[in-house]
Amino acid sequence: IPIRLGAPAHLVNGDHISQKFFAAVENGERHKAILQSTLQNFVENLQRNLSTSNIRNTAANEIEEDSEKIKVRRLYDLADYFEYSSEMANSFAMAAENFFEVTKKESIALLQKLRQIPSAQRYLPTDVKMHLTDYFAEMEYFHVMFSEIVDESLEYFGNTLRSIQSVFIHFADIQRDLLREWNLRLEGWCFSAYVDFLQLWSTEIFKCASTKELNIAYDVYATTETTAKHIMRQLEFRIQRLYNCFIFGGYQIKCKFLRDPDVDFEPLFAKLDELQQYLDIKIKMGRISLYRSHRNADELVSTKVQEQCIPLDFPQKHMMESLNQCYVPN
């Protein structure tokens, strides 16, 4: 919405940040909470649901066919859980990526509002025009730097969440293939041994895929979000201040900040520097932009994490020989 010059200063309410930005913040937080809730206490729930629940203790008076159906359903439930977790990881990744993109667009929109203010003036002293040229140049440079750092956060975060998504959905597919194609015997020792095997590997794969990297991704997202909100407020403040500068006249008094744009933007650049240093240290790989050296970074990172968490010869070579004998070939 264009800023209308000539109105009394008290009629300019200073609410220049769009509702789309705040909606993107809220949407990202909502999807983060859903993913955190989905993954919370996974190991404890796994042990409870597979070790001591009815999956091992089907009532003796149940018909055998129904008993086997219950057992199979419980096993499919675990695969469904990994698939659902994969979907929630992808949903959070999409919501976060939308927030990062909206943030960059919001920065441009606020800077354009800054440019609108002096353009509506019929006459400006030559020295003020020169100061404005320098001020807008500093402003544009700030936006470029801000966008690059936001892109770095976006790239790391997206790669991390989608690698977790890839591991979870791949493990869900493996579980279903075992149940559909391998014809597991569901009686006695065989079923109990398979549950033990599944419990062990579900825990290991879950921890490998999500524990450390996911916590770092949460931190990267939260810190970038906090910095972005601070910067939006600072840009909003500069819009209001520049408006007041022109509406009241007296450029020498009201517009002193235009004389030293590097000083005026120094706190914002310092905030960017803090974020960059945080990202470099937190991720422990120097510049995150190292990812950009790969043409297909998303696929490479996801494949690497998947291979680390799920061995290429899994599950055949990781089962005891006695457990392998519990499967009847089709």
Side-chain angles (χ1 to χ4, degrees), residues 254-313:
K254 296 289 184 180
C255 304
K256 288 182 179 180
F257 61 91
L258 291 177
R259 301 175 189 174
D260 296 299
D262 54 336
V263 174
D264 188 59
F265 275 87
E266 184 177 356
L268 276 72
F269 279 108
K271 203 69 179 175
L272 291 188
D273 189 55
E274 288 178 10
L275 178 59
Q276 182 66 72
Q277 291 183 39
Y278 171 85
L279 296 176
D280 290 344
I281 294 171
K282 195 73 177 178
I283 300 170
K284 296 181 180 178
M285 59 174 60
R287 300 285 293 184
I288 304 173
S289 54
L290 286 175
Y291 276 110
R292 295 177 181 169
S293 64
H294 301 295
R295 185 177 182 87
N296 298 313
D298 289 351
E299 295 180 7
L300 288 171
V301 173
S302 294
T303 301
K304 181 180 179 182
V305 174
Q306 183 171 302
E307 291 176 352
Q308 288 175 345
C309 297
I310 304 178
L312 292 176
D313 54 0

Short mmCIF file of all heavy atoms in Angstrom, two decimals, residues 254-313:
data_model
loop_
_atom_site.label_atom_id
_atom_site.label_comp_id
_atom_site.label_asym_id
_atom_site.label_seq_id
_atom_site.Cartn_x
_atom_site.Cartn_y
_atom_site.Cartn_z
N LYS A 254 15.93 16.96 11.07
CA LYS A 254 15.19 15.70 11.08
C LYS A 254 15.86 14.59 10.28
O LYS A 254 15.58 13.41 10.51
CB LYS A 254 13.77 15.93 10.52
CG LYS A 254 12.91 16.85 11.35
CD LYS A 254 12.51 16.18 12.66
CE LYS A 254 11.56 17.06 13.45
NZ LYS A 254 11.17 16.41 14.73
N CYS A 255 16.71 14.94 9.33
CA CYS A 255 17.24 13.93 8.41
C CYS A 255 18.74 13.70 8.58
O CYS A 255 19.43 13.33 7.63
CB CYS A 255 16.95 14.33 6.96
SG CYS A 255 15.21 14.62 6.60
N LYS A 256 19.25 13.92 9.78
CA LYS A 256 20.68 13.76 10.00
C LYS A 256 21.16 12.34 9.69
O LYS A 256 22.29 12.13 9.26
CB LYS A 256 21.03 14.11 11.45
CG LYS A 256 20.96 15.60 11.76
CD LYS A 256 21.37 15.86 13.21
CE LYS A 256 21.33 17.36 13.51
NZ LYS A 256 21.72 17.63 14.92
N PHE A 257 20.29 11.35 9.91
CA PHE A 257 20.69 9.95 9.69
C PHE A 257 21.03 9.68 8.23
O PHE A 257 21.76 8.74 7.92
CB PHE A 257 19.58 9.00 10.15
CG PHE A 257 18.28 9.18 9.41
CD1 PHE A 257 18.01 8.45 8.27
CD2 PHE A 257 17.33 10.08 9.87
CE1 PHE A 257 16.81 8.61 7.59
CE2 PHE A 257 16.12 10.24 9.20
CZ PHE A 257 15.86 9.51 8.06
N LEU A 258 20.51 10.52 7.30
CA LEU A 258 20.80 10.32 5.88
C LEU A 258 22.25 10.62 5.55
O LEU A 258 22.77 10.14 4.54
CB LEU A 258 19.88 11.21 5.02
CG LEU A 258 18.39 10.86 5.00
CD1 LEU A 258 17.63 11.88 4.17
CD2 LEU A 258 18.17 9.45 4.45
N ARG A 259 22.92 11.40 6.38
CA ARG A 259 24.29 11.80 6.08
C ARG A 259 25.27 10.64 6.26
O ARG A 259 26.33 10.62 5.63
CB ARG A 259 24.71 12.96 6.99
CG ARG A 259 23.85 14.19 6.86
CD ARG A 259 24.26 15.23 7.89
NE ARG A 259 23.33 16.35 7.93
CZ ARG A 259 23.39 17.33 8.82
NH1 ARG A 259 24.35 17.32 9.75
NH2 ARG A 259 22.50 18.31 8.80
N ASP A 260 24.93 9.70 7.12
CA ASP A 260 25.83 8.57 7.40
C ASP A 260 25.05 7.26 7.30
O ASP A 260 24.74 6.62 8.32
CB ASP A 260 26.45 8.70 8.79
CG ASP A 260 27.32 9.93 8.91
OD1 ASP A 260 28.31 10.01 8.16
OD2 ASP A 260 27.00 10.80 9.74
N PRO A 261 24.70 6.84 6.09
CA PRO A 261 23.91 5.61 5.94
C PRO A 261 24.61 4.37 6.48
O PRO A 261 23.96 3.46 7.00
CB PRO A 261 23.68 5.51 4.43
CG PRO A 261 24.73 6.37 3.82
CD PRO A 261 24.99 7.47 4.79
N ASP A 262 25.95 4.34 6.37
CA ASP A 262 26.67 3.18 6.90
C ASP A 262 26.52 3.08 8.41
O ASP A 262 26.42 1.99 8.97
CB ASP A 262 28.14 3.23 6.50
CG ASP A 262 28.81 4.53 6.91
OD1 ASP A 262 28.10 5.55 7.06
OD2 ASP A 262 30.04 4.54 7.08
N VAL A 263 26.49 4.24 9.08
CA VAL A 263 26.29 4.25 10.53
C VAL A 263 24.85 3.84 10.86
O VAL A 263 24.61 3.09 11.81
CB VAL A 263 26.60 5.64 11.11
CG1 VAL A 263 26.24 5.69 12.59
CG2 VAL A 263 28.06 5.98 10.89
N ASP A 264 23.90 4.32 10.07
CA ASP A 264 22.50 4.02 10.34
C ASP A 264 22.20 2.53 10.17
O ASP A 264 21.41 1.96 10.93
CB ASP A 264 21.61 4.84 9.40
CG ASP A 264 20.14 4.72 9.77
OD1 ASP A 264 19.79 5.07 10.91
OD2 ASP A 264 19.35 4.25 8.93
N PHE A 265 22.83 1.90 9.18
CA PHE A 265 22.57 0.48 8.93
C PHE A 265 23.54 -0.44 9.69
O PHE A 265 23.40 -1.66 9.61
CB PHE A 265 22.65 0.18 7.43
CG PHE A 265 21.37 0.46 6.70
CD1 PHE A 265 21.09 1.72 6.20
CD2 PHE A 265 20.43 -0.55 6.53
CE1 PHE A 265 19.91 1.98 5.54
CE2 PHE A 265 19.24 -0.30 5.86
CZ PHE A 265 18.97 0.97 5.37
N GLU A 266 24.47 0.15 10.41
CA GLU A 266 25.46 -0.67 11.12
C GLU A 266 24.82 -1.67 12.09
O GLU A 266 25.23 -2.84 12.13
CB GLU A 266 26.44 0.23 11.87
CG GLU A 266 27.56 -0.54 12.56
CD GLU A 266 28.57 0.38 13.22
OE1 GLU A 266 28.43 1.62 13.07
OE2 GLU A 266 29.48 -0.13 13.89
N PRO A 267 23.80 -1.28 12.89
CA PRO A 267 23.18 -2.27 13.80
C PRO A 267 22.55 -3.44 13.05
O PRO A 267 22.57 -4.58 13.53
CB PRO A 267 22.13 -1.45 14.54
CG PRO A 267 22.59 -0.03 14.44
CD PRO A 267 23.23 0.07 13.09
N LEU A 268 21.99 -3.17 11.86
CA LEU A 268 21.38 -4.25 11.08
C LEU A 268 22.43 -5.18 10.51
O LEU A 268 22.26 -6.41 10.52
CB LEU A 268 20.51 -3.66 9.96
CG LEU A 268 19.08 -3.27 10.37
CD1 LEU A 268 19.11 -2.02 11.23
CD2 LEU A 268 18.20 -3.03 9.14
N PHE A 269 23.53 -4.61 10.02
CA PHE A 269 24.62 -5.45 9.52
C PHE A 269 25.23 -6.27 10.65
O PHE A 269 25.64 -7.42 10.45
CB PHE A 269 25.69 -4.60 8.83
CG PHE A 269 25.35 -4.23 7.42
CD1 PHE A 269 25.00 -2.94 7.09
CD2 PHE A 269 25.39 -5.18 6.41
CE1 PHE A 269 24.68 -2.59 5.79
CE2 PHE A 269 25.08 -4.85 5.10
CZ PHE A 269 24.72 -3.55 4.79
N ALA A 270 25.29 -5.68 11.84
CA ALA A 270 25.82 -6.42 13.00
C ALA A 270 24.93 -7.61 13.32
O ALA A 270 25.41 -8.69 13.68
CB ALA A 270 25.92 -5.48 14.21
N LYS A 271 23.62 -7.42 13.16
CA LYS A 271 22.68 -8.52 13.41
C LYS A 271 22.87 -9.63 12.38
O LYS A 271 22.82 -10.82 12.71
CB LYS A 271 21.25 -7.99 13.33
CG LYS A 271 20.23 -8.84 14.07
CD LYS A 271 20.45 -8.77 15.56
CE LYS A 271 19.41 -9.59 16.31
NZ LYS A 271 19.68 -9.61 17.77
N LEU A 272 23.11 -9.24 11.13
CA LEU A 272 23.39 -10.24 10.10
C LEU A 272 24.67 -10.99 10.40
O LEU A 272 24.76 -12.21 10.20
CB LEU A 272 23.49 -9.57 8.72
CG LEU A 272 22.23 -8.99 8.11
CD1 LEU A 272 22.50 -8.55 6.68
CD2 LEU A 272 21.09 -9.99 8.14
N ASP A 273 25.68 -10.26 10.86
CA ASP A 273 26.96 -10.89 11.17
C ASP A 273 26.80 -11.90 12.31
O ASP A 273 27.39 -12.98 12.29
CB ASP A 273 27.99 -9.82 11.55
CG ASP A 273 29.39 -10.40 11.68
OD1 ASP A 273 29.87 -11.04 10.72
OD2 ASP A 273 30.01 -10.22 12.74
N GLU A 274 25.99 -11.55 13.30
CA GLU A 274 25.72 -12.49 14.40
C GLU A 274 25.08 -13.77 13.88
O GLU A 274 25.44 -14.87 14.28
CB GLU A 274 24.80 -11.84 15.43
CG GLU A 274 25.44 -10.75 16.27
CD GLU A 274 24.44 -10.13 17.23
OE1 GLU A 274 23.32 -10.68 17.36
OE2 GLU A 274 24.76 -9.09 17.84
N LEU A 275 24.11 -13.60 12.98
CA LEU A 275 23.43 -14.77 12.42
C LEU A 275 24.39 -15.62 11.61
O LEU A 275 24.40 -16.85 11.72
CB LEU A 275 22.24 -14.33 11.56
CG LEU A 275 21.46 -15.45 10.86
CD1 LEU A 275 20.90 -16.44 11.87
CD2 LEU A 275 20.34 -14.87 10.00
N GLN A 276 25.23 -14.97 10.80
CA GLN A 276 26.18 -15.73 9.98
C GLN A 276 27.16 -16.51 10.84
O GLN A 276 27.45 -17.68 10.58
CB GLN A 276 26.94 -14.77 9.05
CG GLN A 276 27.92 -15.47 8.13
CD GLN A 276 27.21 -16.36 7.12
OE1 GLN A 276 26.58 -15.86 6.18
NE2 GLN A 276 27.29 -17.67 7.29
N GLN A 277 27.68 -15.87 11.88
CA GLN A 277 28.61 -16.56 12.77
C GLN A 277 27.93 -17.72 13.48
O GLN A 277 28.53 -18.79 13.66
CB GLN A 277 29.18 -15.57 13.80
CG GLN A 277 30.12 -14.53 13.20
CD GLN A 277 30.72 -13.63 14.27
OE1 GLN A 277 31.04 -14.08 15.36
NE2 GLN A 277 30.85 -12.35 13.97
N TYR A 278 26.70 -17.51 13.88
CA TYR A 278 25.95 -18.58 14.53
C TYR A 278 25.80 -19.78 13.60
O TYR A 278 26.01 -20.93 14.00
CB TYR A 278 24.57 -18.07 14.95
CG TYR A 278 23.64 -19.15 15.44
CD1 TYR A 278 23.67 -19.56 16.77
CD2 TYR A 278 22.75 -19.77 14.58
CE1 TYR A 278 22.83 -20.56 17.23
CE2 TYR A 278 21.91 -20.77 15.03
CZ TYR A 278 21.95 -21.16 16.35
OH TYR A 278 21.13 -22.15 16.79
N LEU A 279 25.44 -19.52 12.35
CA LEU A 279 25.26 -20.60 11.39
C LEU A 279 26.57 -21.33 11.14
O LEU A 279 26.61 -22.56 11.08
CB LEU A 279 24.70 -20.05 10.08
CG LEU A 279 23.30 -19.43 10.14
CD1 LEU A 279 22.92 -18.84 8.79
CD2 LEU A 279 22.26 -20.45 10.58
N ASP A 280 27.65 -20.58 10.99
CA ASP A 280 28.95 -21.20 10.73
C ASP A 280 29.37 -22.12 11.87
O ASP A 280 29.88 -23.22 11.65
CB ASP A 280 30.02 -20.13 10.52
CG ASP A 280 29.85 -19.38 9.21
OD1 ASP A 280 29.10 -19.88 8.35
OD2 ASP A 280 30.44 -18.30 9.05
N ILE A 281 29.16 -21.67 13.10
CA ILE A 281 29.57 -22.46 14.26
C ILE A 281 28.62 -23.63 14.49
O ILE A 281 29.04 -24.76 14.73
CB ILE A 281 29.62 -21.57 15.52
CG1 ILE A 281 30.72 -20.52 15.37
CG2 ILE A 281 29.84 -22.41 16.77
CD1 ILE A 281 30.72 -19.46 16.45
N LYS A 282 27.33 -23.37 14.39
CA LYS A 282 26.33 -24.38 14.72
C LYS A 282 26.42 -25.58 13.79
O LYS A 282 26.30 -26.73 14.20
CB LYS A 282 24.93 -23.76 14.64
CG LYS A 282 23.84 -24.60 15.29
CD LYS A 282 23.95 -24.56 16.79
CE LYS A 282 22.83 -25.31 17.46
NZ LYS A 282 22.96 -25.31 18.93
N ILE A 283 26.62 -25.32 12.54
CA ILE A 283 26.60 -26.40 11.56
C ILE A 283 27.96 -27.06 11.43
O ILE A 283 28.09 -28.16 10.91
CB ILE A 283 26.08 -25.86 10.22
CG1 ILE A 283 24.67 -25.32 10.42
CG2 ILE A 283 26.06 -26.93 9.15
CD1 ILE A 283 24.12 -24.56 9.25
N LYS A 284 29.00 -26.37 11.91
CA LYS A 284 30.35 -26.95 11.97
C LYS A 284 30.87 -27.37 10.61
O LYS A 284 31.48 -28.43 10.46
CB LYS A 284 30.38 -28.14 12.93
CG LYS A 284 30.08 -27.76 14.37
CD LYS A 284 30.14 -28.97 15.28
CE LYS A 284 29.82 -28.58 16.71
NZ LYS A 284 29.83 -29.74 17.62
N MET A 285 30.62 -26.56 9.61
CA MET A 285 31.18 -26.87 8.30
C MET A 285 31.56 -25.59 7.57
O MET A 285 31.50 -25.51 6.35
CB MET A 285 30.18 -27.67 7.46
CG MET A 285 28.87 -26.98 7.22
SD MET A 285 27.82 -27.91 6.08
CE MET A 285 27.63 -29.44 6.96
N GLY A 286 31.95 -24.57 8.34
CA GLY A 286 32.29 -23.31 7.70
C GLY A 286 31.06 -22.71 7.06
O GLY A 286 29.98 -22.74 7.62
N ARG A 287 31.19 -22.20 5.89
CA ARG A 287 30.07 -21.59 5.20
C ARG A 287 29.08 -22.64 4.75
O ARG A 287 29.44 -23.66 4.17
CB ARG A 287 30.56 -20.81 3.97
CG ARG A 287 31.53 -19.71 4.28
CD ARG A 287 30.86 -18.52 4.88
NE ARG A 287 29.99 -17.89 3.90
CZ ARG A 287 29.32 -16.77 4.15
NH1 ARG A 287 29.41 -16.18 5.31
NH2 ARG A 287 28.56 -16.25 3.22
N ILE A 288 27.82 -22.39 5.00
CA ILE A 288 26.79 -23.33 4.57
C ILE A 288 26.75 -23.39 3.05
O ILE A 288 26.33 -24.37 2.47
CB ILE A 288 25.41 -22.89 5.10
CG1 ILE A 288 25.47 -22.76 6.61
CG2 ILE A 288 24.33 -23.89 4.74
CD1 ILE A 288 24.21 -22.18 7.20
N SER A 289 27.24 -22.35 2.41
CA SER A 289 27.17 -22.31 0.95
C SER A 289 28.03 -23.38 0.30
O SER A 289 28.01 -23.52 -0.92
CB SER A 289 27.58 -20.93 0.44
OG SER A 289 28.85 -20.57 0.94
N LEU A 290 28.78 -24.15 1.09
CA LEU A 290 29.49 -25.28 0.52
C LEU A 290 28.53 -26.23 -0.17
O LEU A 290 28.89 -26.92 -1.11
CB LEU A 290 30.25 -26.04 1.62
CG LEU A 290 31.51 -25.37 2.17
CD1 LEU A 290 32.06 -26.18 3.33
CD2 LEU A 290 32.56 -25.22 1.09
N TYR A 291 27.28 -26.27 0.31
CA TYR A 291 26.28 -27.11 -0.33
C TYR A 291 26.11 -26.73 -1.80
O TYR A 291 25.76 -27.55 -2.63
CB TYR A 291 24.93 -26.96 0.36
CG TYR A 291 24.77 -27.82 1.58
CD1 TYR A 291 24.73 -27.26 2.85
CD2 TYR A 291 24.64 -29.20 1.46
CE1 TYR A 291 24.58 -28.05 3.97
CE2 TYR A 291 24.48 -30.00 2.59
CZ TYR A 291 24.44 -29.42 3.83
OH TYR A 291 24.28 -30.19 4.95
N ARG A 292 26.35 -25.46 -2.11
CA ARG A 292 26.08 -24.99 -3.46
C ARG A 292 27.11 -25.49 -4.46
O ARG A 292 26.96 -25.28 -5.66
CB ARG A 292 26.05 -23.45 -3.46
CG ARG A 292 24.90 -22.91 -2.64
CD ARG A 292 24.92 -21.41 -2.58
NE ARG A 292 23.81 -20.93 -1.77
CZ ARG A 292 23.69 -19.68 -1.36
NH1 ARG A 292 24.59 -18.80 -1.67
NH2 ARG A 292 22.66 -19.32 -0.63
N SER A 293 28.17 -26.12 -3.99
CA SER A 293 29.16 -26.66 -4.91
C SER A 293 28.63 -27.90 -5.61
O SER A 293 29.23 -28.39 -6.56
CB SER A 293 30.45 -27.01 -4.16
OG SER A 293 30.20 -28.04 -3.22
N HIS A 294 27.49 -28.43 -5.16
CA HIS A 294 26.88 -29.60 -5.77
C HIS A 294 25.68 -29.18 -6.60
O HIS A 294 24.83 -28.43 -6.13
CB HIS A 294 26.44 -30.60 -4.70
CG HIS A 294 27.57 -31.06 -3.82
ND1 HIS A 294 28.62 -31.79 -4.29
CD2 HIS A 294 27.80 -30.86 -2.49
CE1 HIS A 294 29.46 -32.04 -3.30
NE2 HIS A 294 28.99 -31.48 -2.20
N ARG A 295 25.60 -29.69 -7.79
CA ARG A 295 24.50 -29.33 -8.67
C ARG A 295 23.17 -29.83 -8.13
O ARG A 295 22.15 -29.15 -8.18
CB ARG A 295 24.75 -29.89 -10.07
CG ARG A 295 23.70 -29.47 -11.10
CD ARG A 295 24.07 -30.00 -12.47
NE ARG A 295 23.11 -29.58 -13.46
CZ ARG A 295 23.17 -28.44 -14.13
NH1 ARG A 295 24.15 -27.60 -13.88
NH2 ARG A 295 22.26 -28.13 -15.03
N ASN A 296 23.19 -31.07 -7.62
CA ASN A 296 21.96 -31.67 -7.08
C ASN A 296 22.13 -31.88 -5.58
O ASN A 296 22.12 -33.00 -5.09
CB ASN A 296 21.67 -33.00 -7.78
CG ASN A 296 21.43 -32.82 -9.27
OD1 ASN A 296 20.69 -31.94 -9.67
ND2 ASN A 296 22.07 -33.65 -10.07
N ALA A 297 22.27 -30.79 -4.85
CA ALA A 297 22.60 -30.87 -3.43
C ALA A 297 21.56 -31.64 -2.64
O ALA A 297 21.90 -32.46 -1.79
CB ALA A 297 22.76 -29.46 -2.85
N ASP A 298 20.27 -31.40 -2.90
CA ASP A 298 19.22 -32.05 -2.12
C ASP A 298 19.34 -33.57 -2.22
O ASP A 298 19.28 -34.28 -1.22
CB ASP A 298 17.83 -31.62 -2.63
CG ASP A 298 17.53 -30.18 -2.26
OD1 ASP A 298 18.31 -29.60 -1.50
OD2 ASP A 298 16.52 -29.66 -2.75
N GLU A 299 19.51 -34.07 -3.44
CA GLU A 299 19.58 -35.51 -3.64
C GLU A 299 20.84 -36.09 -3.01
O GLU A 299 20.81 -37.17 -2.41
CB GLU A 299 19.54 -35.83 -5.13
CG GLU A 299 18.21 -35.45 -5.80
CD GLU A 299 18.21 -35.79 -7.27
OE1 GLU A 299 19.19 -36.44 -7.72
OE2 GLU A 299 17.26 -35.42 -7.97
N LEU A 300 21.97 -35.38 -3.14
CA LEU A 300 23.22 -35.89 -2.60
C LEU A 300 23.18 -35.98 -1.08
O LEU A 300 23.59 -36.98 -0.49
CB LEU A 300 24.38 -34.98 -3.03
CG LEU A 300 24.77 -35.07 -4.51
CD1 LEU A 300 25.78 -33.98 -4.84
CD2 LEU A 300 25.36 -36.44 -4.83
N VAL A 301 22.67 -34.93 -0.43
CA VAL A 301 22.61 -34.94 1.03
C VAL A 301 21.65 -36.00 1.52
O VAL A 301 21.94 -36.74 2.46
CB VAL A 301 22.20 -33.55 1.55
CG1 VAL A 301 21.98 -33.59 3.06
CG2 VAL A 301 23.27 -32.52 1.22
N SER A 302 20.46 -36.12 0.89
CA SER A 302 19.48 -37.11 1.31
C SER A 302 20.03 -38.52 1.15
O SER A 302 19.86 -39.38 2.02
CB SER A 302 18.19 -36.95 0.50
OG SER A 302 17.57 -35.72 0.79
N THR A 303 20.70 -38.77 0.02
CA THR A 303 21.27 -40.10 -0.22
C THR A 303 22.34 -40.42 0.80
O THR A 303 22.42 -41.54 1.31
CB THR A 303 21.86 -40.17 -1.65
OG1 THR A 303 20.82 -39.90 -2.59
CG2 THR A 303 22.44 -41.55 -1.91
N LYS A 304 23.19 -39.45 1.13
CA LYS A 304 24.26 -39.67 2.09
C LYS A 304 23.70 -40.05 3.46
O LYS A 304 24.15 -41.00 4.09
CB LYS A 304 25.12 -38.41 2.20
CG LYS A 304 26.29 -38.55 3.18
CD LYS A 304 27.10 -37.27 3.23
CE LYS A 304 28.24 -37.39 4.23
NZ LYS A 304 29.02 -36.14 4.33
N VAL A 305 22.71 -39.29 3.93
CA VAL A 305 22.13 -39.58 5.24
C VAL A 305 21.42 -40.92 5.22
O VAL A 305 21.50 -41.70 6.18
CB VAL A 305 21.15 -38.46 5.65
CG1 VAL A 305 20.43 -38.82 6.94
CG2 VAL A 305 21.89 -37.14 5.80
N GLN A 306 20.71 -41.22 4.13
CA GLN A 306 20.00 -42.50 4.04
C GLN A 306 20.97 -43.66 4.11
O GLN A 306 20.71 -44.66 4.79
CB GLN A 306 19.21 -42.54 2.74
CG GLN A 306 18.36 -43.79 2.57
CD GLN A 306 17.44 -43.68 1.38
OE1 GLN A 306 16.62 -42.77 1.29
NE2 GLN A 306 17.58 -44.60 0.44
N GLU A 307 22.12 -43.57 3.43
CA GLU A 307 23.10 -44.64 3.45
C GLU A 307 23.75 -44.77 4.83
O GLU A 307 24.12 -45.87 5.25
CB GLU A 307 24.17 -44.38 2.39
CG GLU A 307 23.65 -44.55 0.96
CD GLU A 307 24.70 -44.19 -0.07
OE1 GLU A 307 25.77 -43.68 0.33
OE2 GLU A 307 24.45 -44.41 -1.27
N GLN A 308 23.90 -43.65 5.54
CA GLN A 308 24.47 -43.71 6.87
C GLN A 308 23.53 -44.40 7.86
O GLN A 308 23.98 -45.11 8.76
CB GLN A 308 24.77 -42.28 7.38
CG GLN A 308 25.96 -41.62 6.70
CD GLN A 308 26.13 -40.18 7.15
OE1 GLN A 308 25.22 -39.59 7.75
NE2 GLN A 308 27.28 -39.60 6.87
N CYS A 309 22.24 -44.19 7.70
CA CYS A 309 21.27 -44.67 8.67
C CYS A 309 20.70 -46.05 8.33
O CYS A 309 20.34 -46.81 9.22
CB CYS A 309 20.12 -43.67 8.81
SG CYS A 309 20.64 -42.06 9.45
N ILE A 310 20.59 -46.36 7.05
CA ILE A 310 20.05 -47.65 6.62
C ILE A 310 21.09 -48.32 5.73
O ILE A 310 21.30 -47.90 4.59
CB ILE A 310 18.73 -47.49 5.85
CG1 ILE A 310 17.71 -46.71 6.69
CG2 ILE A 310 18.17 -48.86 5.47
CD1 ILE A 310 16.39 -46.46 5.99
N PRO A 311 21.77 -49.36 6.21
CA PRO A 311 22.81 -50.03 5.41
C PRO A 311 22.26 -50.52 4.08
O PRO A 311 21.08 -50.90 3.98
CB PRO A 311 23.24 -51.20 6.30
CG PRO A 311 22.86 -50.79 7.69
CD PRO A 311 21.61 -49.96 7.54
N LEU A 312 23.11 -50.54 3.06
CA LEU A 312 22.67 -50.94 1.73
C LEU A 312 22.18 -52.38 1.70
O LEU A 312 21.31 -52.74 0.90
CB LEU A 312 23.81 -50.75 0.73
CG LEU A 312 24.22 -49.30 0.45
CD1 LEU A 312 25.43 -49.26 -0.48
CD2 LEU A 312 23.06 -48.52 -0.18
N ASP A 313 22.73 -53.24 2.55
CA ASP A 313 22.34 -54.65 2.56
C ASP A 313 21.30 -54.94 3.63
O ASP A 313 21.10 -56.10 4.02
CB ASP A 313 23.56 -55.55 2.77
CG ASP A 313 24.36 -55.17 4.01
OD1 ASP A 313 23.95 -54.21 4.71
OD2 ASP A 313 25.37 -55.83 4.29
#
